[in-house]
Amino acid sequence: MKINIYIPILILLLFSACRENIQLDLNSSNPQIVVEGSVSVDGPARISITKSINFNDDNSFPTVSNATVILSDNIGKPDTLNESQPGIYTSLKTVGMVGRTYSLTIKANDKTITSSGTIPNPVKFDSLKVKAQGGFGGGGFGGGSTQTGTLYTVRVKFNDPENETNYYRFIEYINSKPTGNIYVYDDRLNNGKTNDKTLLNFTRYLLKGDTVTVEMQCIDKAVYEYFNSFGNLGMGPSSSTPANPYTNLNGAVLGFFSAHTVERKQVVIK
Amino acid sequence: MTKKYLLQLFLLVILFFSVDLSAQKKFSISGMISDTLTGETMIGANISIKEMPGALASTNHYGYYSLTLPKGKYTLTVGYVGYKNSVQKIELSENKMINIKLEPDSKVLTGVEVYAQRKNHNITSTEMGMEKMEIKEIAKIPVLFGEADIMKTLKLTPGIKSVGEGSGGMFVRGGTNSQNLILLDEANVYNADHLLGFFSTFNSDAIKDIEMYKGTSPAEYGGRISSVLDVKMNEGNNQTYHVGGGIGLISSRLNLEGPIVKGKGSFLITARRTYADLFLKLSKDTIINNNQLYFYDLNAKANYTINDKNRIFFSGYLGRDVLKFQKRFGIDWGNITGTLRWNHIWNEKLFSNTALIYSDYDYKVAISAKTSFSLTSVIKDLNFKHDFQYYINSENTLTFGLNSIYHTITPGQLETADTLITPFHLQKKLGLENAVFVSHVWKPNSKLNINIGVRLSSFSLLGPGDFYSYANGVVKDTTHYDVGKVVKTYIEPEPRVNVAYVFDESSSIKAGYDRFTQYLHMVSNSTSSTPTDIWIPSSNIVRPEIGDQISLGYYRNLKNNEYQFSAEAYYKWMQNQLDLKNGAQIQANEHIEGELLFGQGRAYGLELLLKKKYGKLTGWVGYTYSKTERKIDGINDGNWYPARQDITHDISVVGIYEINKKWTVSGTWVFNTGNAVTFPSGKYTIGGKTQFYYTERNGYRMPDYHRLDLGATYTMKKTKKFESSLNFSVYNAYGHKNPYSIDFETDENDPTKINAVMTYLFTFVPSITYNFKF
């Protein structure tokens, strides 16, 4: 329940004309290894390794090739992943099983990075509703963009089991491209109840024929804390002091490793 | 063990020198000093004896003075800035009660006669790090939306800062906004800002006196570690009825005062409301015109002088802010306080004040979009205070007393009609905060002025309820306590020592050491103070905050007190400072203590101030150099980092010029280097979206802040029966764009680039206010 978001949003609304680009002198930093790792109950295990760049560089993030990436569970043999694309290491052999703990070891550029995660019990993804909406008008929050299409809202519904602590992550794809917005929830306030969540996205302008796919993941506590500690959830000015999120990786500062269940639903705009 | 012995030794030192060893027969004169036209008692009026230059007294917060002299004939002079001196001959052969009424004289401020009255109180008093405001000055300073505001004026003096534009809060000598003790007629005000800092909760129409201590307050005060802002309101004219007020573009105010029984009792009512949201209604856009944004304040007071020795007072305050976003989301919050006080004069040397105070600060967040619920949080205080002032002789005054506050904090009640949300009531937190204090003002000779005191404070967290211990943020143990059982007690002695050494009547040097303890803490994961910040008590997990400050100052008056110069340096240590983990959930969280991070702070600075107090041109120039840092376990790898409110250079220039009887113009110019902020030093991608990489906490600075405000007051009519004036002001006259926030966004036209985008609020805001009084 991010109450404090509303206050900066209200300020922005009142003074929406008063924004302008400024020049800032930002320091450069040593490139850091960034790991996005996932083991899920369906699909190949996928570990992506990239590097961070300086703020003013163009947004082309270098990949890290020729790394040794090994996944193992607490039962079978370790599985060395193949670099199927530059910086992306996959394997069809490791398919996630509920309750199993998966360990990740990466050796790249003289660095060793490890992590682990346990796949929690699955919770059924009840429904996905995508509806056109009025409300926030055609301007969006990007500052007067000239988007074509109509603004849509996306709502997801699921029933949270009462007898355990559950954490959820939702990933939104528009025409198979991930939006990158972060949606994570715990069950602190809605334990045991039907959860009806709106995935906020103020730049979701869609045309007829567009496809909205939403992936629901049941994640563990460490992955929830990683995503929850991102200061800016993509919704305008953040009012808390930004910091790197709490990573569950050892030996690296950026990124995460997630072992989760998956269920997808899709809606095509008519 | 050692703490107890040190405390006893300290008390001995304080009390020893308060014994009057002189053999001569002495008598006391005592009484009340008040304004002859309004009946208002005067705080800090000076009483002097021509024949004995060392015999000086000044009135206390209730207008009472007491002076002990050997038997004899004397010339008694009473003076106060803006009033004609009262001179009378007295013959002292027994204790006498002498009440004196002073006549106002506005000529006195600008004329030559003023020489005799110009005060060098700033040189001789032990008060350092203290700012005393005169209401007449505050009314002339131009501010946003044209309304005189004591908080904004205080922020124009060295050592007291605000951070950025549009975020409220007052940061004193490197402390945080929650470390200020703000008192309105002795009641604690929890949130002194309206509307996110654009207005303060003080309606300056009815304020009598303001004393701001920047970490140097005497032992009478306690509870917060950075500063004390003691605001005293007028009592109300006890001679004649008056109505006054002002009508402005954004807000209006009205005040009524008058006698209940002429000369014996009076009342005062002031009210204020803004209507900023009326402008929002002008917009055609339904997103904008459907919002509500307003606040109102109401102050009501009454007092009655029962007899020569007894006077009773009642004060009440009610203030509320309402913010509604499109009928879907609303917050309203506010303070309610009520105070009952009794002044009693026991004898010619002993005065006491007893007060019973109730205060309530609450906020309510209501959401009615697809789901509807409301979240309420309340903090209630019941406070009993009793203090004595014992005027032993002209060298010694002893103040001692006690203070007991019963706190009830209800951190979160969630009510909902929605079946999909579980309503809950977070456990109430009950605490008892007590203090006893003794403070000795000692003037052994004409050169030395010493204020030494100690405050012994304690806090006990009480049951009923469950109390937790944590390991890595997860609950490790739960212990249940029954009603009235003590969960944890803290006892802290707080020594306060301030010394002034007067070289001559126009220069002095002062030094001090003061310790403060704070048992209630504010937890916020917002960089600007919001009304939804959470207050938590000290507990088995949270230790009391402790602030220690040493200060040294040099004071010099020039041209017969026309100019006052001060240079003050301080160093401050802060223990048990709190911060939060990233993404911490502070709303409705039973286990909020598991989200806390602990550490320490340190701050130091040099404050230079040159004031011109008399003449057609008055005002001041102030410069502050300061640094404030924190070291918190779990933040910045446990290394020292600049606190958000760290601002290195701060300059204020304030000028008020009385052109003639009709026109007064004023201007303020402020400049400060930017506060510390966390900006990215790199970027990377997660899930297809660019995210930012941060290397250190608060390693960058916001752009420099500066602006010029101009104002002009035109006195339309000024007779005994009716006064009116028009006040014009321009805030940010040359329109410098001072950032409210800086965010990083992908460029719309070039997705490979990220831009730094600044949001700024006010450039060139004119305002007109019409003020009247009859």
Side-chain angles (χ1 to χ4, degrees):
Chain A
M1 226 192 324
K2 302 278 180 191
I3 289 172
N4 285 333
I5 281 173
Y6 287 97
I7 294 172
I9 286 182
L10 187 67
I11 301 263
L12 258 195
L13 272 185
L14 292 177
F15 305 101
S16 54
C18 307
R19 309 186 84 219
E20 63 179 40
N21 291 348
I22 54 169
Q23 280 302 108
L24 284 181
D25 219 343
L26 296 177
N27 297 337
S28 40
S29 55
N30 290 331
Q32 302 289 316
I33 293 188
V34 184
V35 175
E36 284 177 83
S38 84
V39 170
S40 71
V41 293
D42 81 33
R46 185 179 187 279
I47 313 288
S48 135
I49 311 180
T50 56
K51 277 200 158 153
S52 69
I53 53 180
N54 290 328
F55 187 85
N56 287 317
D57 293 346
D58 277 344
N59 280 7
S60 65
F61 301 97
T63 54
V64 175
S65 288
N66 302 320
T68 312
V69 181
I70 302 172
L71 266 178
S72 58
D73 62 20
N74 43 345
I75 297 175
K77 270 192 337 193
D79 176 11
T80 306
L81 277 65
N82 292 320
E83 189 171 355
S84 46
Q85 287 171 58
I88 301 192
Y89 303 78
T90 54
S91 166
L92 288 164
K93 278 193 253 153
T94 303
V95 176
M97 307 281 285
V98 172
R100 287 226 194 133
T101 305
Y102 294 88
S103 306
L104 172 70
T105 309
I106 299 175
K107 288 198 178 56
N109 297 354
D110 302 322
K111 282 196 167 43
T112 305
I113 299 166
T114 59
S115 186
S116 71
T118 308
I119 298 192
N121 292 328
V123 171
K124 190 160 173 3
F125 187 177
D126 256 1
S127 65
L128 168 69
K129 283 194 176 52
V130 179
K131 266 183 17 193
Q133 73 151 60
F136 282 88
F141 278 86
S145 56
T146 50
Q147 298 274 7
T148 47
T150 319
L151 205 55
Y152 277 80
T153 47
V154 165
R155 277 168 63 196
V156 297
K157 236 183 184 170
F158 55 93
N159 291 314
D160 174 82
E162 188 166 4
N163 58 339
E164 57 186 21
T165 311
N166 304 85
Y167 303 96
Y168 306 96
R169 179 182 172 205
F170 289 87
I171 305 181
E172 181 188 10
Y173 300 86
I174 296 180
N175 298 329
S176 305
K177 198 165 164 297
T179 61
N181 288 338
I182 295 170
Y183 308 108
V184 283
Y185 307 99
D186 64 6
D187 61 1
R188 198 169 61 92
L189 294 174
N190 316 76
N191 192 26
K193 308 234 160 181
T194 306
N195 279 243
D196 188 342
K197 307 278 187 201
T198 305
L199 305 183
L200 288 178
N201 179 349
F202 300 128
T203 56
R204 191 188 286 122
Y205 291 94
L206 305 173
L207 297 165
K208 188 167 136 171
D210 283 342
T211 311
V212 177
T213 312
V214 173
E215 181 175 313
M216 171 171 164
Q217 299 180 349
C218 293
I219 54 178
D220 67 18
K221 182 168 194 255
V223 177
Y224 168 77
E225 292 209 337
Y226 171 76
F227 285 104
N228 188 50
S229 56
F230 267 98
N232 184 347
L233 301 181
M235 284 179 285
S238 160
S239 51
S240 43
T241 309
N244 299 324
Y246 295 123
T247 179
N248 65 348
L249 303 172
N250 300 309
V253 159
L254 302 176
F256 66 97
F257 172 61
S258 174
H260 49 255
T261 66
V262 167
E263 199 180 330
R264 284 189 196 87
K265 288 199 183 297
Q266 191 170 287
V267 165
V268 179
I269 305 296
K270 298 200 192 2
Chain B
M1 213 25 164
T2 353
K3 251 191 201 173
K4 204 167 143 207
Y5 283 133
L6 275 175
L7 186 61
Q8 286 170 344
L9 186 65
F10 212 72
L11 276 170
L12 265 175
V13 170
I14 295 171
L15 294 170
F16 178 73
F17 294 102
S18 62
V19 174
D20 189 358
L21 300 168
S22 138
Q24 239 180 333
K25 196 77 175 113
K26 289 198 175 157
F27 300 105
S28 306
I29 47 168
S30 59
M32 310 291 281
I33 312 287
S34 51
D35 178 316
T36 192
L37 288 183
T38 65
E40 294 281 354
T41 53
M42 308 181 70
I43 300 175
N46 293 301
I47 297 100
S48 54
I49 302 288
K50 186 169 149 191
E51 294 81 359
M52 289 185 73
L56 293 166
S58 63
T59 51
N60 68 7
H61 286 146
Y62 296 96
Y64 179 80
Y65 77 94
S66 167
L67 191 54
T68 302
L69 304 162
K71 178 174 176 173
K73 290 196 177 122
Y74 301 104
T75 312
L76 178 73
T77 307
V78 182
Y80 194 72
V81 176
Y83 289 80
K84 292 192 180 125
N85 274 356
S86 146
V87 183
Q88 59 181 266
K89 293 224 182 294
I90 58 168
E91 184 166 335
L92 200 58
S93 53
E94 56 176 4
N95 293 328
K96 270 191 171 143
M97 175 164 267
I98 304 178
N99 294 325
I100 296 170
K101 296 200 202 293
L102 295 182
E103 229 181 279
D105 188 351
S106 54
K107 274 208 308 284
V108 172
L109 276 177
T110 55
V112 169
E113 313 90 90
V114 77
Y115 269 48
Q117 295 206 54
R118 287 185 186 183
K119 302 297 178 284
N120 66 346
H121 187 73
N122 66 311
I123 298 288
T124 57
S125 76
T126 50
E127 290 149 359
M128 58 189 280
M130 199 265 242
E131 204 48 60
K132 207 166 149 72
M133 286 268 148
E134 256 128 73
I135 276 303
K136 295 180 187 55
E137 274 179 335
I138 295 174
K140 300 211 178 77
I141 292 173
V143 281
L144 189 59
F145 304 130
E147 194 182 291
D149 187 324
I150 57 168
M151 303 285 278
K152 293 221 184 68
T153 307
L154 281 172
K155 290 176 193 175
L156 294 172
T157 62
I160 303 173
K161 303 184 210 261
S162 57
V163 177
E165 186 101 311
S167 45
M170 186 168 71
F171 301 86
V172 181
R173 290 190 169 171
T176 63
N177 184 42
S178 64
Q179 295 170 343
N180 305 315
L181 179 70
I182 301 178
L183 300 172
L184 180 63
D185 280 346
E186 304 195 55
N188 196 343
V189 174
Y190 275 93
N191 185 351
D193 285 316
H194 278 303
L195 272 196
L196 316 162
F198 301 160
F199 291 89
S200 72
T201 53
F202 301 108
N203 183 346
S204 12
D205 274 346
I207 291 181
K208 184 193 293 205
D209 183 73
I210 297 162
E211 285 169 5
M212 172 74 188
Y213 292 93
K214 297 181 281 191
T216 53
S217 55
E220 295 92 284
Y221 298 100
R224 299 284 187 269
I225 67 171
S226 272
S227 76
V228 173
L229 175 60
D230 191 354
V231 180
K232 297 257 184 290
M233 290 186 64
N234 284 335
E235 300 303 333
N237 192 325
N238 70 8
Q239 303 292 316
T240 46
Y241 295 97
H242 289 278
V243 177
I247 302 171
L249 283 186
I250 308 272
S251 67
S252 288
R253 39 187 226 285
L254 188 67
N255 53 72
L256 273 80
E257 57 177 326
I260 296 175
V261 174
K262 185 165 171 169
K264 283 194 135 218
S266 61
F267 73 92
L268 171 65
I269 300 176
T270 72
R272 182 168 68 148
R273 195 202 193 275
T274 52
Y275 25 81
D277 51 348
L278 288 187
F279 290 94
L280 296 178
K281 297 220 186 304
L282 294 176
S283 167
K284 292 203 179 47
D285 191 335
T286 48
I287 295 172
I288 296 188
N289 67 18
N290 233 345
N291 300 316
Q292 276 187 300
L293 196 68
Y294 66 86
F295 72 80
Y296 59 86
D297 291 301
L298 185 65
N299 281 296
K301 297 189 64 165
N303 71 86
Y304 188 70
T305 306
I306 300 170
N307 55 37
D308 264 350
K309 294 189 180 273
N310 292 287
R311 191 173 183 198
I312 52 170
F313 305 80
F314 164 76
S315 342
Y317 168 79
L318 168 66
R320 202 109 202 125
D321 279 60
V322 175
L323 205 124
K324 277 203 178 62
F325 182 68
Q326 301 225 313
K327 301 199 199 305
R328 297 187 199 187
F329 167 79
I331 326 184
D332 72 284
W333 69 94
N335 294 299
I336 300 175
T337 67
T339 311
L340 217 49
R341 275 174 298 164
W342 170 47
N343 284 172
H344 182 68
I345 298 174
W346 297 80
N347 58 45
E348 67 288 344
K349 291 190 182 189
L350 192 61
F351 174 93
S352 78
N353 177 45
T354 314
L356 190 62
I357 305 156
Y358 171 76
S359 88
D360 176 315
Y361 172 68
D362 72 277
Y363 69 78
K364 180 171 161 184
V365 177
I367 297 189
S368 52
K370 295 283 185 302
T371 94
S372 80
F373 62 87
S374 73
L375 184 65
T376 320
S377 180
V378 182
I379 176 166
K380 285 204 217 296
D381 287 348
L382 191 59
N383 187 345
F384 174 77
K385 269 189 198 183
H386 181 79
D387 43 87
F388 282 105
Q389 275 172 303
Y390 184 36
Y391 298 87
I392 302 168
N393 52 39
S394 50
E395 289 93 40
N396 297 280
T397 309
L398 207 62
T399 308
F400 53 99
L402 56 89
N403 186 356
S404 197
I405 313 178
Y406 183 66
H407 298 287
T408 309
I409 304 176
T410 312
Q413 313 276 84
L414 182 73
E415 307 289 353
T416 175
D418 190 333
T419 50
L420 297 182
I421 300 179
T422 326
F424 61 78
H425 298 156
L426 280 189
Q427 193 176 286
K428 273 192 201 180
K429 302 263 195 282
L430 304 169
L432 192 57
E433 188 176 340
N434 294 312
V436 292
F437 68 89
V438 60
S439 185
H440 181 191
V441 174
W442 178 33
K443 296 177 202 183
N445 55 47
S446 61
K447 295 234 170 245
L448 213 49
N449 194 342
I450 300 171
N451 187 337
I452 181 169
V454 66
R455 184 180 181 90
L456 185 66
S457 63
S458 79
F459 180 80
S460 299
L461 183 65
L462 306 168
D466 291 325
F467 295 88
Y468 313 98
S469 70
Y470 300 86
N472 291 329
V474 180
V475 177
K476 194 174 73 172
D477 274 307
T478 307
T479 316
H480 184 83
Y481 289 82
D482 284 329
V483 174
K485 287 273 182 282
V486 177
V487 179
K488 181 82 187 174
T489 298
Y490 291 99
I491 301 178
E492 296 291 335
E494 300 173 35
R496 314 272 172 92
V497 186
N498 290 296
V499 182
Y501 182 79
V502 180
F503 294 119
D504 53 54
E505 62 178 35
S506 60
S507 66
S508 65
I509 189 169
K510 302 183 197 179
Y513 163 68
D514 300 278
R515 167 173 273 216
F516 300 88
T517 317
Q518 180 163 343
Y519 299 105
L520 292 188
H521 319 278
M522 192 170 76
V523 166
S524 165
N525 53 8
S526 164
T527 49
S528 58
S529 64
T530 67
T532 55
D533 297 332
I534 305 264
W535 286 91
I536 59 171
S538 296
S539 70
N540 50 320
I541 305 289
V542 181
R543 303 183 61 85
E545 292 179 64
I546 299 177
D548 287 291
Q549 184 176 287
I550 51 172
S551 35
L552 185 63
Y554 171 70
Y555 305 82
R556 179 104 165 82
N557 284 1
L558 304 153
K559 280 188 88 176
N560 194 12
N561 299 324
E562 187 176 339
Y563 292 90
Q564 291 181 354
F565 171 75
S566 68
E568 284 184 14
Y570 64 90
Y571 195 101
K572 189 159 147 177
W573 294 266
M574 292 165 266
Q575 295 175 50
N576 304 324
Q577 300 298 285
L578 302 179
D579 207 321
L580 279 173
K581 295 185 176 157
N582 293 339
Q585 193 54 262
I586 64 170
Q587 302 294 341
N589 189 350
E590 186 72 53
H591 303 295
I592 188 175
E593 287 179 343
E595 310 270 15
L596 298 174
L597 302 172
F598 303 98
Q600 47 180 305
R602 65 185 180 202
Y604 58 85
L606 175 68
E607 296 163 7
L608 302 174
L609 181 62
L610 178 66
K611 280 194 208 181
K612 184 172 191 295
K613 299 281 292 177
Y614 305 98
K616 281 194 157 217
L617 174 67
T618 56
W620 65 85
V621 178
Y623 168 73
T624 310
Y625 170 80
S626 65
K627 209 161 148 64
T628 169
E629 307 171 287
R630 300 288 180 274
K631 181 175 194 282
I632 310 266
D633 243 325
I635 295 181
N636 209 41
D637 295 324
N639 298 318
W640 285 101
Y641 61 91
R644 185 185 146 251
Q645 64 267 27
D646 184 31
I647 288 174
T648 314
H649 302 284
D650 193 307
I651 301 172
S652 320
V653 181
V654 177
I656 302 162
Y657 186 71
E658 283 185 32
I659 301 177
N660 53 40
K661 278 202 163 57
K662 289 259 173 199
W663 283 97
T664 304
V665 293
S666 57
T668 64
W669 184 71
V670 295
F671 172 90
N672 56 263
T673 52
N675 62 285
V677 69
T678 306
F679 284 153
S681 299
K683 55 189 178 183
Y684 58 100
T685 181
I686 293 279
K689 190 164 181 177
T690 306
Q691 300 290 356
F692 300 115
Y693 171 52
Y694 302 97
T695 44
E696 71 288 294
R697 170 94 146 194
N698 291 344
Y700 289 91
R701 295 285 152 160
M702 291 291 272
D704 293 343
Y705 179 108
H706 54 93
R707 65 162 215 276
L708 172 71
D709 302 332
L710 297 169
T713 306
Y714 174 61
T715 306
M716 292 167 66
K717 216 176 164 149
K718 193 168 178 153
T719 64
K720 270 202 147 66
K721 295 219 172 213
F722 184 74
E723 280 177 41
S724 66
S725 64
L726 266 182
N727 178 295
F728 305 93
S729 68
V730 178
Y731 180 86
N732 200 357
Y734 58 73
H736 182 249
K737 295 171 185 166
N738 293 310
Y740 164 71
S741 72
I742 294 183
D743 309 292
F744 299 93
E745 293 167 9
T746 316
D747 193 299
E748 296 152 18
N749 304 318
D750 180 2
T752 64
K753 268 187 63 188
I754 309 265
N755 293 324
V757 184
M758 162 176 90
T759 304
Y760 61 92
L761 300 181
F762 305 112
T763 51
F764 195 85
V765 183
S767 185
I768 304 179
T769 311
Y770 171 69
N771 297 304
F772 62 92
K773 184 169 179 160
F774 56 88

